[in-house]
Amino acid sequence: MRENLREKDRLKDFLENHPYNLAYKFVDSVNLDLGIYFEPMRNYLDLAYVGTISIGTPPQEFKVIFDTGSSDLWVPSIYCSSPACANHNVFNPVRSSTFRISGRPIHLQYGSGTMSGFLAYDTVRFGGLVDVAQAFGLSLREPGKFMEYAVFDGILGLAYPSLSLRGTVPVFDNLWKQGLISQELFAFYLSKKNEEGSVVMFGGVDHSYYSGDLNWVPVSKRLYWQLSMDSISMNGEVIACDGGCQAIIDTGTSLLIGPSHVVFNIQMIIGANRSYSGEYVVDCDAANTLPDIVFTINGIDYPVPASAYIQEGPQGTCYSGFDESGDSLLVSDSWILGDVFLRLYFTVFDRENNRIGLALAV
């Protein structure tokens, strides 16, 4: 979405109107030996990872973000009047024999915009799994530029049920309740630069995607996939999260998001300058010379090298992988560890034990 807006010179207006805030509120698809269900995702320019699901009988296909920062599933509907819906796949209830309507109006807010629509139920399929009578949202309006330039049609949330629409059961919870998976967990492997190779797996962990051991961290608040972080440092000096802070592991966020004043200081340290569009631009050579920024979690260091926190755009301009949260994060000193971090570390989301597993991705 950033790339599309950047090319149309509309990114500055978008970023001003949407300071970052959280959502309130090609592999075999099944490994029978391990009982794992794999859903491949396409990597768009290291900015978004998109998988394909289908809804209804017969199936209607949609590209979605598998998002650990929200809990609801929604896609555009044929009744949507917004320009965004004209550019994306839309769901037609009339064509599905398994569709059930609730009629209940819904309103979802995300970091980049909002979706208004209504609640419905139908069969959802992905990665070899068939989830029946799944609650999902159908959009009637997608205001602003939120979805118009997005490479995906909708969002499939994988955060805790406490973040979902009242009275609904999120997709992952239904997979478990319907006995479709043998372990109550899922995991993400995000590729670097390559369009192919990224995967979200359900019901088990494929150890070939990481090296060493998984380091387990308890979930500190069962809403988002939230944990306690010890510090953020560079060259052995703490530069952020001094004395500890909260962090949210979010596959639906491209960057590393933190409190404005702290991130501003980091931008200065790495020599980033704010561009006309409102993004922070860095000298591309810095990716080879700047030191690692180390995120310490549960006593273990997770270094992020400059080659990861400095990202090269298609035009050869390099951008900082850090962004400011504005003042809208639920805890003022909290961070969001998005895809910049998750490309480096294979991540397991263990609902049974309410913990997050991190290991070096291969």
Side-chain angles (χ1 to χ4, degrees):
M1 186 166 68
R2 273 176 185 260
E3 287 298 333
N4 289 339
L5 286 166
R6 201 181 278 147
E7 286 168 12
K8 293 175 175 63
D9 203 27
R10 292 177 181 167
L11 185 60
K12 182 173 184 287
D13 293 340
F14 180 84
L15 292 176
E16 284 175 357
N17 293 326
H18 301 281
Y20 200 90
N21 68 327
L22 279 166
Y24 291 113
K25 309 235 289 121
F26 291 95
V27 291
D28 291 334
S29 61
V30 185
N31 185 320
L32 294 175
D33 296 335
L34 300 173
I36 307 172
Y37 295 83
F38 294 88
E39 170 61 29
M41 295 179 293
R42 181 178 171 194
N43 174 3
Y44 286 86
L45 304 168
D46 280 3
L47 293 168
Y49 293 82
V50 177
T52 302
I53 68 168
S54 70
I55 304 177
T57 311
Q60 300 176 42
E61 281 198 354
F62 300 91
K63 292 188 288 190
V64 298
I65 297 274
F66 284 84
D67 177 27
T68 60
S70 66
S71 294
D72 299 300
L73 167 63
W74 69 268
V75 295
S77 80
I78 56 165
Y79 311 113
C80 175
S81 56
S82 303
C85 296
N87 302 334
H88 291 91
N89 293 327
V90 292
F91 184 78
N92 185 348
V94 178
R95 290 190 181 154
S96 174
S97 61
T98 44
F99 177 81
R100 284 197 298 122
I101 192 166
S102 91
R104 175 178 149 196
I106 59 170
H107 182 79
L108 298 174
Q109 176 139 5
Y110 293 88
S112 314
T114 58
M115 185 284 277
S116 300
F118 61 95
L119 189 68
Y121 299 86
D122 211 330
T123 301
V124 176
R125 295 174 172 85
F126 57 88
L129 293 159
V130 182
D131 168 16
V132 299
Q134 175 61 52
F136 71 108
L138 283 168
S139 71
L140 293 173
R141 287 192 311 122
E142 298 170 16
K145 296 286 181 277
F146 168 43
M147 286 296 294
E148 200 169 336
Y149 298 113
V151 293
F152 50 91
D153 304 310
I155 294 173
L156 191 156
L158 291 167
Y160 277 80
S162 44
L163 196 61
S164 67
L165 289 163
R166 182 180 45 81
T168 65
V169 178
V171 169
F172 182 74
D173 292 76
N174 260 341
L175 297 181
W176 180 248
K177 284 183 175 177
Q178 294 176 23
L180 300 174
I181 49 176
S182 58
Q183 291 185 71
E184 197 179 358
L185 55 77
F186 57 92
F188 277 82
Y189 173 83
L190 303 185
S191 67
K192 306 170 186 71
K193 293 193 166 60
N194 293 334
E195 270 194 50
E196 296 175 358
S198 302
V199 66
V200 54
M201 57 194 77
F202 295 88
V205 175
D206 185 337
H207 305 289
S208 66
Y209 282 96
Y210 66 89
S211 62
D213 295 325
L214 283 164
N215 299 308
W216 294 103
V217 187
V219 170
S220 57
K221 187 177 181 184
R222 298 173 194 176
L223 186 68
Y224 300 100
W225 286 95
Q226 185 170 325
L227 47 74
S228 297
M229 186 158 62
D230 306 340
S231 64
I232 301 172
S233 58
M234 180 190 261
N235 287 332
E237 284 189 32
V238 175
I239 58 170
C241 188
D242 195 358
C245 60
Q246 293 294 295
I248 289 157
I249 309 295
D250 185 3
T251 57
T253 291
S254 306
L255 307 177
L256 300 162
I257 312 286
S260 300
H261 62 289
V262 179
V263 169
F264 181 78
N265 288 339
I266 293 175
Q267 307 289 28
M268 296 304 99
I269 291 169
I270 67 175
N273 296 298
R274 192 185 281 273
S275 69
Y276 164 79
S277 69
E279 294 179 291
Y280 280 90
V281 176
V282 194
D283 182 342
C284 290
D285 291 338
N288 303 314
T289 58
L290 283 170
D292 296 353
I293 293 179
V294 179
F295 293 76
T296 304
I297 300 168
N298 215 22
I300 292 171
D301 291 345
Y302 297 91
V304 176
S307 57
Y309 65 75
I310 294 174
Q311 299 177 286
E312 187 175 350
Q315 268 73 51
T317 306
C318 289
Y319 300 90
S320 167
F322 289 87
D323 203 358
E324 303 162 12
S325 63
D327 301 313
S328 56
L329 279 178
L330 302 187
V331 182
S332 60
D333 192 32
S334 61
W335 281 75
I336 304 172
L337 304 185
D339 300 339
V340 168
F341 182 85
L342 298 173
R343 271 191 285 279
L344 300 169
Y345 299 103
F346 178 85
T347 310
V348 181
F349 300 83
D350 183 350
R351 276 285 301 276
E352 183 177 0
N353 299 296
N354 295 302
R355 60 183 185 168
I356 297 165
L358 296 167
L360 192 64
V362 296

